[in-house]
Amino acid sequence: MVRAAERAKHPATSSIWLDSEKAGRRRKPDQPDGLDRDKIVETSIRMLDAEGLAKFSMRKLAAELNVTAMSVYWYVDTKDDILELALDAAFREVELPDPDRAVSWRDDLRALAESYRSMLVRHTWAAAILNTYLNIGPNALQVARAIQDIAIATGLPPAGQAGAITAVFQFVYGFSTTMGNFQRRCDESGVTQDEYYAQAMAAFQKDPELMDTMERSKPIIEARGGSTVAEMWTRDFAFGLDVLITGIEAMVARAEESSA
């Protein structure tokens, strides 16, 4: 069993899910009514969404719950425990393919990637800590299994499945992180995404050093389509995902030719 002290010494290979005592800890009779791990996690997610990762603390969490810090520490040992629990709870929002029907890998991959993107954009803090933890909670594992099923259904040989799915979900991660950073910048500036984009484009056009780049980009911008930033995000993401799916299809065809 991995205790909190050991997790602190070895953060890269530690997880609350590897501590059987902590993973199953529930409310003691003398704890405040209505306080349990689910409420702590729910409140943490709400605070992280509202204020971001940098401002989140155990002290603020206890105050938001209207309990003492020691009451929170009955359920978790560290802030890392809470963040790991919150991250796994966020994975619950990713919509998975229906397990009772045959896998349609192209449609399932598009749907899962889109749902994953939406979750990361809703919870920008999740993208920031995604690679900090082992992500072996129950919800993260369900998503991982769905991804494995899709990888197998592509028809790629086992040697290529991991690389193909990594390419897709690294694209989703990077795209979602960019979206989240842009939204956060707009929020901090007190403008909408469309207003920020319009201001940036106007500023670029006034700078002589940027005019050449702007002119070269003009056909791409015009062909990109979309009257709002949200529409541009949607179209760019869909096209990028189609490029990756087409690449997987090409690699499947190459593998079939090699084995023929």
Side-chain angles (χ1 to χ4, degrees):
M1 182 168 59
V2 181
R3 298 288 185 178
E6 291 302 312
R7 289 201 302 277
K9 293 178 184 177
H10 309 287
T13 57
S14 64
S15 172
I16 192 173
W17 305 107
L18 296 176
D19 187 329
S20 58
E21 178 185 340
K22 289 292 299 302
R25 189 175 291 181
R26 293 293 180 260
R27 189 173 75 87
K28 286 174 64 178
D30 59 348
Q31 293 301 306
D33 289 340
L35 182 65
D36 56 25
R37 180 175 282 178
D38 289 342
K39 184 173 183 179
I40 290 172
V41 172
E42 178 184 342
T43 303
S44 298
I45 290 175
R46 186 172 68 249
M47 293 175 64
L48 287 162
D49 287 345
E51 299 182 359
L53 192 63
K55 295 182 179 180
F56 181 77
S57 70
M58 297 289 275
R59 178 182 58 80
K60 288 184 177 181
L61 174 60
E64 183 71 18
L65 291 165
N66 196 29
V67 300
T68 66
M70 290 307 298
S71 294
V72 177
Y73 280 116
W74 164 251
Y75 298 96
V76 292
D77 285 338
T78 67
K79 186 171 77 171
D80 277 343
D81 287 347
I82 292 180
L83 292 176
E84 192 174 8
L85 291 166
L87 181 60
D88 190 67
F91 269 99
R92 190 187 305 132
E93 300 177 15
V94 178
E95 297 182 13
L96 304 179
D98 183 352
D100 294 328
R101 65 164 175 76
V103 176
S104 175
W105 76 263
R106 296 169 185 80
D107 292 340
D108 289 347
L109 183 57
R110 287 190 181 94
L112 183 55
E114 177 58 46
S115 184
Y116 191 35
R117 175 179 75 113
S118 297
M119 183 274 281
L120 291 175
V121 172
R122 281 194 301 273
H123 306 301
T124 56
W125 54 269
I129 65 173
L130 189 61
N131 297 315
T132 303
Y133 304 104
L134 294 179
N135 296 330
I136 55 173
N139 297 302
L141 288 179
Q142 283 194 352
V143 174
R145 292 186 186 107
I147 293 172
Q148 288 174 345
D149 289 341
I150 291 172
I152 294 169
T154 62
L156 282 168
Q161 291 172 14
I165 296 303
T166 295
V168 171
F169 284 92
Q170 284 298 320
F171 162 70
V172 175
Y173 172 79
F175 198 101
S176 304
T177 301
T178 299
M179 286 185 67
N181 289 341
F182 185 70
Q183 179 61 65
R184 183 168 57 252
R185 178 60 176 165
C186 292
D187 292 342
E188 292 171 350
S189 302
V191 296
T192 66
Q193 292 191 37
D194 291 335
E195 290 169 341
Y196 190 99
Y197 179 76
Q199 291 174 10
M201 294 298 288
F204 295 159
Q205 292 170 358
K206 293 178 182 178
D207 189 328
E209 294 185 3
L210 295 175
M211 284 302 297
D212 179 61
T213 300
M214 290 297 297
E215 284 299 314
R216 295 178 65 180
S217 301
K218 192 173 181 179
I220 297 175
I221 295 172
E222 291 177 349
R224 190 183 195 189
S227 58
T228 67
V229 171
E231 291 175 348
M232 294 178 194
W233 287 128
T234 299
R235 293 185 183 187
D236 287 351
F237 183 78
F239 187 85
L241 194 55
D242 280 344
V243 169
L244 289 166
I245 289 174
T246 300
I248 292 174
E249 292 172 335
M251 295 304 291
V252 170
R254 180 184 297 181
E256 291 175 345
E257 290 175 1
S258 297
S259 62

